[in-house]
Amino acid sequence: MKILVINSGSSSIKYQLFEMPDKTVLTAGVVEKIGEEESTITHKVPPKNLKKSKTLPIANHQEGFDKILSLLTHAEYGVIDNPDDIDAVGHRVVHGGEKFNSAVIVNEEVKKQIEDLSFLAPLHNPPNLQGIEVASQFFQKAPQVAVFDTAFHQSMPASSYRYAIPDWLYKEHGIRVYGMHGTSHHYVAQQAANYLSKPLESLNLITIHLGNGCSMAAIQHGKCLDTSMGLSPLPGLIMGTRSGDIDPSVCYFLGTQLNMSFQEIDSLLNKESGLKGISGENDLRNIIARKDDGDRAAALALEMYSYRIKKYIGSYAAALGKLDAIIFTAGVGENSAYIREKVCNNLEILGIHLDSEKNKQRTTDILEIQQDDRLVKILVIPTNEELEIAQATMQLLKD
Ligand code: ADP
């Protein structure tokens, strides 16, 4: 079964074609800078070890899909003969609000609901929907499936997802915690269960996704109990350019004392804060290198970043009661032994004992890095949101 996974953003379309159930990636690529003069398209064919990149103007998503389709069916770089060879298309959709707690087959009603939820994700849901619209024209025989980034977190109880603000703001305007990165948290949790040879429903886990965006989830008996992002991706951990948790009255201060507009405050907290705000840049590799050269701002940024994660581990361990494993994933979580060590340092009170030597090993597979078998497992698990979308799509079509 050939499943095409699409992540359609405002100026990019990422795609991966899987042969399922064997999970083989037939092609993977990305169209970037849509709408600009110098758009780029990068297309890889892993089984043939081929890669093609091109710079050309691509005016809109329709044209972007046109290019993707011609590459998919290309004599040399292609892997299918015609669009009908695609059995299903799985789409990443950022916000499913309270409407969607799992993947769904897209119909007119679902499209309308995704559109109606755009007020919660104005930058993401509209281009996600556009991707669905265009893909359904190109791949007419294939069912289109929406897989929501928020869905995994829908199992949270009200005590986790409500904000302590007046009730009507939730009831009339849907202001609550939704959480993001749900496909990644669920994927690595399931991988951990497979690795530990235990059913996911029997496990209590803390998943730590550290990419440019960072979030954590407390998972109880396989279900999300709490998560660190909220109504938007802004709260929780310190991220590349997002502040994470701050006193909300900072916004009031910025508006009243510094005359900043809502847009300026939003941009400051989302694009100029986090690691970038403290150290001047957001790439963790550079920040670690600068710290090694004695840069104090870089050292402070790393201290703050790790301390925030540690605080969340503590609070989630308390919420879960019993803890089977903590899982590090995404760019930083998978690659930075330094951050893992800093985060786990002094967490012995929770049964978390990192083995420094095991932590330094490198592999593209799962790493187990705690000191002893009996302790809380510390796992490094590569995330794969595209594969999670392909699996959810396949599962839905089977049921
Ligand atoms: P995205 O959220 O864009 O998918 P990624 O999961 O690719 O992001 O993570 C990007 C982050 O991972 C960057 O901050 C980058 O510096 C960091 N990163 C990647 N490799 C390493 C490494 N070896 N050591 C430290 N940080 C790394």
Side-chain angles (χ1 to χ4, degrees):
M1 180 179 203
K2 289 188 172 52
I3 298 183
L4 181 64
V5 172
I6 299 286
N7 181 353
S8 170
S10 55
S11 64
S12 70
I13 308 168
K14 294 191 187 120
Y15 60 96
Q16 264 192 48
L17 181 61
F18 288 91
E19 185 68 59
M20 297 297 280
D22 27 328
K23 306 175 187 170
T24 313
V25 178
L26 300 175
T27 57
V30 57
V31 182
E32 289 174 292
K33 299 189 193 167
I34 294 174
E36 294 182 27
E37 274 302 301
E38 302 215 321
S39 316
T40 57
I41 178 157
T42 309
H43 178 83
K44 293 182 195 159
V45 190
K48 295 187 193 163
N49 228 349
L50 288 175
K51 180 176 170 184
K52 187 176 169 71
S53 301
K54 216 172 161 185
T55 303
L56 73 173
I58 297 176
N60 51 41
H61 284 64
Q62 186 92 20
E63 275 186 31
F65 269 96
D66 223 6
K67 301 286 178 248
I68 294 170
L69 190 59
S70 40
L71 280 165
L72 289 175
T73 52
H74 190 272
E76 188 183 356
Y77 293 92
V79 285
I80 55 170
D81 294 328
N82 68 68
D84 291 347
D85 291 348
I86 303 286
D87 295 297
V89 185
H91 294 267
R92 174 183 187 231
V93 179
V94 164
H95 223 301
E98 290 187 332
K99 282 268 180 320
F100 300 104
N101 60 10
S102 60
V104 285
I105 297 179
V106 176
N107 57 24
E108 287 309 311
E109 175 64 19
V110 169
K111 283 196 239 171
K112 163 107 183 37
Q113 286 167 333
I114 294 172
E115 189 176 4
D116 289 349
L117 288 164
S118 292
F119 76 102
L120 290 169
L123 297 180
H124 294 104
N125 272 27
N128 297 160
L129 187 58
Q130 206 178 357
I132 293 174
E133 297 282 10
V134 182
S136 44
Q137 290 162 25
F138 278 84
F139 306 102
Q140 294 192 357
K141 276 203 168 164
Q144 310 286 317
V145 171
V147 181
F148 299 91
D149 234 20
T150 49
F152 178 60
H153 304 303
Q154 276 298 300
S155 56
M156 284 188 291
S159 49
S160 296
Y161 73 68
R162 287 290 299 273
Y163 291 120
I165 55 176
D167 199 47
W168 60 274
L169 289 166
Y170 166 62
K171 298 223 167 98
E172 292 171 32
H173 298 281
I175 298 180
R176 52 159 283 178
V177 173
Y178 291 98
M180 310 279 149
H181 291 148
T183 45
S184 176
H185 288 291
H186 181 253
Y187 178 81
V188 295
Q190 186 59 60
Q191 289 290 106
N194 298 348
Y195 174 80
L196 299 170
S197 303
K198 295 200 170 137
L200 181 54
E201 297 70 36
S202 72
L203 293 174
N204 280 9
L205 307 168
I206 296 175
T207 48
I208 309 170
H209 177 111
L210 306 175
N212 275 313
C214 302
S215 69
M216 286 175 56
I219 299 175
Q220 189 167 48
H221 310 312
K223 291 203 156 66
C224 180
L225 172 72
D226 204 350
T227 193
S228 62
M229 286 180 167
L231 175 73
S232 78
L234 185 54
L237 303 182
I238 292 173
M239 312 184 206
T241 63
R242 294 192 192 113
S243 64
D245 293 336
I246 56 163
D247 177 347
S249 68
V250 170
C251 301
Y252 181 78
F253 184 99
L254 296 175
T256 55
Q257 304 290 315
L258 305 182
N259 287 323
M260 290 177 74
S261 67
F262 289 125
Q263 283 73 17
E264 286 168 336
I265 295 170
D266 190 59
S267 168
L268 179 106
L269 296 177
N270 276 293
K271 300 192 178 137
E272 303 300 330
S273 299
L275 293 171
K276 184 177 177 194
I278 304 297
S279 75
E281 65 181 314
N282 61 334
D283 192 306
L284 210 103
R285 277 165 296 204
N286 296 344
I287 300 173
I288 294 176
R290 278 173 45 201
K291 181 265 308 167
D292 290 341
D293 289 341
D295 184 312
R296 291 167 85 165
L300 175 63
L302 295 168
E303 208 56 58
M304 291 170 67
Y305 180 89
S306 312
Y307 180 62
R308 182 73 53 85
I309 300 167
K310 191 192 284 280
K311 281 208 292 190
Y312 266 89
I313 293 177
S315 67
Y316 284 175
L320 289 169
K322 155 185 165 271
L323 183 58
D324 296 299
I326 67 170
I327 299 160
F328 287 94
T329 193
V332 177
E334 290 165 30
N335 296 300
S336 180
Y338 171 79
I339 291 292
R340 293 194 298 257
E341 173 124 31
K342 224 169 154 43
V343 165
C344 293
N345 179 34
N346 242 337
L347 284 183
E348 290 78 8
I349 192 171
L350 300 176
I352 295 170
H353 298 246
L354 185 96
D355 182 314
S356 294
E357 288 312 308
K358 287 186 198 162
N359 184 38
K360 286 185 195 133
Q361 292 170 297
R362 294 196 67 86
T363 163
T364 50
D365 203 5
I366 296 180
L367 264 187
E368 186 175 335
I369 58 174
Q370 80 285 351
Q371 286 176 10
D372 182 317
D373 261 6
R374 288 164 299 143
L375 299 168
V376 171
K377 302 272 187 284
I378 309 175
L379 303 175
V380 180
I381 303 186
T383 194
N384 192 337
E385 290 161 275
E386 291 77 15
L387 179 56
E388 172 75 9
I389 293 172
Q391 284 174 333
T393 301
M394 183 177 70
Q395 193 57 43
L396 187 70
L397 296 173
K398 258 202 215 157
D399 290 344

